[in-house]
Amino acid sequence: MTGAAGARPAAGPGTRARRIAVIGAGPGGLYFAALAKRAAPEREITVFERDGREDESGFGVVFSDETLDGIAQADPQVFAAIGAEFARWSDIDVRYAGGVRTSGGHGFAALDRNRLRAILRERCAELDVDVRYRTTAPPVERLAAGYDLVVAADGIRSGTRATYPEAFRPDADERHCRYIWLATDKVFEAFTFIVERFDFGTLQVHAYPYSATRSTFIVEIAEDAWRRAGFEALAAREFARGESDTESVRRCAELLAGHLDGHRLIPNASRWIRFTTVRNARWHHRNVVLLGDAAHSAHFSIGSGTKLALEDALALAAALGEQPSLDEALVAYEAERRPVVESTQRAAQASLEWFETVGRRTGQDIDRFAFNLLTRSRRVTYGNLRARDAAFVDAVDTAFGGSPGVPPMFRPLKLGALELRNRVVVPPLATFTSSDTLPGAFDRAQLTGHALGGAGLVLAGMTAVSAEGRATDRCPGLWTDRQEGAWRELVRAVKAVSDTPLGIQLTHAGRRGATAVPGPDGIGRPLAGGWPLLSASAIPWDADSPVPHEANDFQLAAVTADFAAAAERAARAGFDVLELQFGHGHLVSSFLSPLTNQRTDRHGGPLAHRLRLPLEVLTAVRAAWPAGQPLLVRISASDWAPGGTTEAEAVAICRALAEAGADAVDVSTGEVVAHQRPPYGRGYQTPFAELVRSATGLPTVAVGAISGPDDANSVLLAGRADLVAVGRAQLHDPLWTLHAAADQGYTGPGARWPEPWLAGSRKPPGPGADRVAPRLQLLREPPAPVHRRWLPTPPEE
């Protein structure tokens, strides 16, 4: 690169940090050094790199438009240099089951990582940054003593991070799959996902072009399949630094020959490794700060570590210029970057886990599989894909019984003998407004509002089967004639204005009972004058809760009879659907989880024994509940705590429930033990609904932070669940379903507005809605093409 260093940006109040040491001359370290030097030319910046100047490492890196915009603003000269060498395309190809499906409109830019390093190296040279190759950095303590700032860009196995573990408090999560990072001289035209099934398991490839002659080619495989495929034997030796596992590369080329078209796989220090997700509780310590993979990592299936490192570099250089002291600059840097990185890591974790469990989906048709893959991270959604490439989404819709203009959430579903007009469920939403265990005026108003709001099914919740089974003293029950009459009157009133099916959830709260109404933190404290509690074992919910009695056989028989009697009452009251609460730490849930069931009798120990009470209750209820009317069961598929219910056990539980008469499973998680650690986030429980559905064929309800219609449509069209339960969003807007229909322009039978409200079925116009924009261009810009392939001109010989 040639040319002047460029005008120095206007100086702010920033810290001087005159002497800066950078450990690592990867793209992140070099880019920071260049930006920091350009912002303040008087700085002395030294970069230490143990490898040689011309040593090559890695292959292609991918950039987002956001990152490129930042580079263009921060250093136009660097942007111009890398932009001249980009491979650009907008398509994603999914190769699966002998076919290819293409989704367009995504927009990618990629570059050879070694060219990027060379461009940044030249920029550093122009700016008089001292980059010392083949020079191991001095111990970080010595650097910290001799420099104003030490920037540790020393990678995922950062020695700096290891030097100060108490300060940074790192968490390195090594995952289960093996992968090997390669290149190929086959130039792919798009980002290409290859998923191939073999007798040993599933092999997947993440491939994308990065120049006129090369593509990145990452091969990934689950650990057990890796062993069965013979890779373990091929990799069973120590490899020298920089050496590649050439036998594994040869084997990959053989297995994937149909996708390489005679081209070769190219290694570069390539061997099988497991991906490690790195997180740090803190990114800086005194005058030492982490950058890039040293601070964090995100799985390669969602994006580039180089992208994150360049964004870090820009933010750190900016903070040094904006803040009055070094300490304030490092605090500001971390405060700005951490939310961005954590958001990326959440998406990357979802993507990583999707590929780890890809075998759950390899029975899907190619159209649904492609859609499932593209929406795996929860960042790309049904609506997002439709905006990018409507034809692709229409094709998937049509392949699964839909038609253009009918979002998946508004398709009907037959559950037992009952047909639901759409796939939206209002889950049991406790109001804690019942006096004398009777549903009150607020219960009636809430259920009426939700029934009018357009959902396919509305469930009343937290209804106890006995006085001892109440969660709080403000929960309704269904064990007396008076309660049955109150529910019958409520159901009759709702059905007078709506034909939406109504259901009721029955429960015995077990050790989670006898609490006050939950406060703002969602926790109900034990009542001073509570009632005796039952559980599988005498284990309190938490340190402040009373110790429950370990239920004996007589008490369990009584509980089973109470559930059956309540089911009969629910049928007589006019409910269309029944749900049994077997999750969330309630009584039946306490028998299922090994964390809460420590019995040694016929109800404890192996899963078959822990299932006895749930199956006895379900069998009794099934006999009492009318044939053909749907019977749902809610479970906690994960306890989010070590030693809890495993995925295999969750599947076995659901199989047993199906055999005993459950028509569908409402797949929730958690709330079984107080010390749970769930990874809260949009759709975080949905993978468990998909697990159960794919393993058992049983219809499932997905729950958990499904807040928007885009989430609902994505879950349903991808085949992750058959129904979606939307809770808190329904509290925010009881007409959530109808408003979702209006927002999507849907007016069909799946979203029927009540006749008196038809005038409100169109979204009211907002400010400026009546303004018509004038034409301001003599020649209109043509719309960007949906599909763009990487079709480079081959280099001259």
Side-chain angles (χ1 to χ4, degrees):
M1 189 191 309
T2 58
R8 176 184 172 186
T15 174
R16 293 302 86 205
R18 292 183 179 276
R19 299 193 73 237
I20 300 175
V22 179
I23 306 174
L30 290 173
Y31 188 49
F32 165 78
L35 291 178
K37 183 71 170 179
R38 180 170 182 260
E42 71 276 11
R43 286 179 174 140
E44 298 176 25
I45 301 179
T46 306
V47 181
F48 298 92
E49 172 56 52
R50 66 178 182 175
D51 291 331
R53 181 188 303 271
E54 305 303 328
D55 289 353
E56 294 193 351
S57 63
F59 301 107
V61 293
V62 181
F63 296 94
S64 68
D65 289 339
E66 277 183 335
T67 305
L68 294 178
D69 288 344
I71 295 173
Q73 184 276 331
D75 193 330
Q77 193 164 328
V78 167
F79 177 75
I82 63 176
E85 299 192 30
F86 275 143
R88 289 187 178 273
W89 70 96
S90 66
D91 279 352
I92 298 176
D93 288 347
V94 179
R95 298 187 178 194
Y96 166 78
V100 180
R101 292 294 182 269
T102 299
S103 171
H106 296 272
F108 295 99
L111 180 69
D112 186 330
R113 183 177 186 273
N114 296 296
R115 280 297 302 141
L116 174 62
R117 287 174 62 234
I119 289 168
L120 293 173
R121 185 173 65 238
E122 291 175 23
R123 185 60 169 147
C124 285
E126 292 172 359
L127 294 165
D128 293 325
V129 174
D130 182 8
V131 183
R132 301 178 184 179
Y133 288 96
R134 299 197 184 282
T135 305
T136 301
V140 66
E141 300 97 325
R142 193 191 311 166
L143 287 176
Y147 287 83
D148 299 326
L149 173 64
V150 179
V151 178
D154 51 350
I156 202 162
R157 308 198 187 283
S158 168
T160 305
R161 195 176 62 225
T163 301
Y164 300 116
E166 296 82 7
F168 296 123
R169 300 195 303 280
D171 172 29
D173 178 18
E174 187 175 66
R175 300 304 300 185
H176 315 305
C177 283
R178 300 273 184 162
Y179 73 97
I180 187 168
W181 203 295
L182 304 164
T184 175
D185 54 5
K186 175 185 168 87
V187 181
F188 286 91
E189 296 181 2
F191 207 121
T192 303
F193 292 102
I194 301 168
V195 179
E196 280 281 4
R197 288 174 287 180
F198 297 92
D199 55 357
F200 56 77
T202 302
L203 198 64
Q204 57 227 28
V205 174
H206 313 249
Y208 55 87
Y210 64 84
S211 74
T213 59
R214 296 281 175 92
S215 299
T216 294
F217 197 87
I218 307 168
V219 183
E220 187 179 26
I221 185 172
E223 179 85 11
D224 55 349
W226 179 76
R227 291 196 179 98
R228 288 193 297 268
F231 288 118
E232 182 179 30
L234 298 177
R237 68 179 181 85
E238 287 292 324
F239 293 93
R241 187 168 184 267
E243 184 184 4
S244 294
D245 180 355
T246 54
E247 287 302 305
S248 287
V249 176
R250 180 189 56 77
R251 172 81 165 134
C252 288
E254 291 175 354
L255 292 169
L256 297 162
H259 300 281
L260 291 169
D261 301 326
H263 292 270
R264 62 196 175 105
L265 292 180
I266 303 166
N268 183 343
S270 304
R271 78 265 319 254
W272 293 106
I273 53 177
R274 296 186 183 94
F275 186 81
T276 300
T277 300
V278 171
R279 299 177 178 88
N280 285 278
R282 183 179 170 90
W283 292 3
H284 67 279
H285 172 58
R286 300 195 185 102
N287 66 333
V288 178
V289 64
L290 304 178
L291 185 147
D293 282 351
H296 48 71
S297 63
H299 193 250
F300 51 81
S301 63
I302 193 77
S304 166
T306 300
K307 166 192 174 302
L308 290 175
L310 294 185
E311 292 173 352
D312 284 355
L314 193 156
L316 179 57
L320 291 175
E322 293 168 350
Q323 301 300 322
S325 71
L326 178 61
D327 187 62
E328 288 169 292
L330 300 186
V331 169
Y333 157 69
E334 184 170 342
E336 178 181 329
R337 286 297 295 158
R338 183 179 286 278
V340 177
V341 168
E342 289 179 348
S343 174
T344 300
Q345 286 184 318
R346 283 192 295 272
Q349 187 74 10
S351 180
L352 174 157
E353 292 174 359
W354 193 96
F355 281 108
E356 284 183 340
T357 58
V358 69
R360 295 177 188 172
R361 305 160 191 94
T362 50
Q364 289 187 325
D365 177 275
I366 185 172
D367 295 283
R368 174 162 277 174
F369 182 88
F371 181 87
N372 200 323
L373 185 152
L374 291 171
T375 58
R376 68 196 180 278
S377 72
R378 306 173 199 143
R379 278 189 166 181
V380 176
T381 61
Y382 177 87
N384 182 276
L385 281 176
R386 178 170 288 285
R388 296 170 186 265
D389 187 351
F392 170 80
V393 177
D394 284 345
V396 182
D397 267 331
T398 302
F400 290 92
S403 57
V406 181
M409 63 186 289
F410 293 114
R411 296 180 195 168
L413 176 71
K414 193 165 187 181
L415 202 59
L418 179 67
E419 180 153 312
L420 307 180
R421 71 170 64 97
N422 63 51
R423 306 296 183 98
V424 180
V425 176
V426 179
L429 299 169
T431 63
F432 304 109
T433 58
S434 300
S435 58
D436 298 326
T437 71
L438 301 175
F442 195 90
D443 294 289
R444 177 181 296 191
Q446 175 167 290
L447 290 172
T448 302
H450 286 141
L452 292 170
L457 172 63
V458 175
L459 297 174
M462 292 282 286
T463 306
V465 299
S466 66
E468 299 78 17
R470 290 171 294 156
T472 76
D473 58 356
R474 302 286 289 173
C475 289
L478 192 47
W479 68 85
T480 70
D481 291 344
R482 188 174 175 220
Q483 293 163 347
E484 181 183 323
W487 280 115
R488 184 183 301 110
E489 183 183 345
L490 184 153
V491 170
R492 187 182 296 121
V494 175
K495 291 194 172 185
V497 295
S498 172
D499 62 354
T500 298
L502 295 180
I504 189 169
Q505 184 193 73
L506 300 179
T507 189
H508 188 300
R511 69 179 188 146
R512 298 206 63 188
T515 70
V517 172
D521 60 0
I523 299 174
R525 269 62 183 182
L527 287 169
W531 48 87
L533 303 180
L534 288 180
S535 191
S537 298
I539 304 172
W541 166 253
D542 60 20
D544 298 325
S545 299
V547 178
H549 298 287
E550 182 175 296
N552 59 37
D553 286 347
F554 176 79
Q555 291 167 321
L556 295 181
V559 166
T560 300
D562 288 341
F563 269 99
E568 289 181 342
R569 291 184 182 279
R572 290 196 296 266
F575 284 102
D576 306 293
V577 176
L578 189 69
E579 178 170 275
L580 302 180
Q581 173 60 290
F582 285 6
H584 293 181
H586 288 221
L587 178 62
V588 179
S589 170
S590 73
F591 279 81
L592 287 170
S593 172
L595 295 177
T596 52
N597 185 342
Q598 297 180 3
R599 301 169 73 106
T600 57
D601 64 0
R602 63 189 294 270
H603 288 288
L607 180 60
H609 292 186
R610 305 199 309 269
L611 267 165
R612 279 202 169 108
L613 177 66
L615 295 181
E616 288 166 0
V617 170
L618 178 55
T619 300
V621 168
R622 183 73 272 181
W625 183 247
Q629 288 188 222
L631 176 54
L632 282 61
V633 181
R634 173 171 279 210
I635 68 160
S636 288
S638 171
D639 301 336
W640 299 120
T645 301
T646 66
E647 289 188 354
E649 287 178 326
V651 168
I653 288 167
C654 292
R655 283 202 181 104
L657 295 176
E659 291 170 2
D663 293 300
V665 180
D666 190 343
V667 187
S668 187
T669 63
E671 299 187 48
V672 175
V673 291
H675 60 277
Q676 66 174 2
R677 291 292 182 271
Y680 292 117
R682 276 178 49 241
Y684 74 103
Q685 298 181 111
T686 300
F688 293 94
E690 183 177 27
L691 165 68
V692 170
R693 188 178 189 272
S694 65
T696 68
L698 190 63
T700 59
V701 185
V703 304
I706 299 171
S707 56
D710 221 8
D711 287 343
N713 286 325
S714 300
V715 167
L716 294 166
L717 189 57
R720 298 182 181 116
D722 301 273
L723 294 158
V724 290
V726 180
R728 292 193 179 187
Q730 295 277 3
L731 294 176
H732 175 74
D733 176 11
L735 301 188
W736 184 88
T737 307
L738 293 179
H739 289 158
D743 288 343
Q744 296 173 81
Y746 174 73
T747 58
R752 196 157 61 238
W753 280 77
E755 189 71 29
W757 290 354
L758 270 178
S761 61
R762 289 187 179 181
K763 192 172 183 179
D770 58 346
R771 180 181 181 273
V772 178
R775 177 172 181 148
L776 299 174
Q777 294 175 314
L778 180 61
L779 297 175
R780 293 188 193 276
E781 290 283 338
V786 171
H787 297 290
R788 180 178 176 182
R789 315 289 284 181
W790 174 239
L791 300 169
T793 302
E796 295 182 3
E797 293 294 333

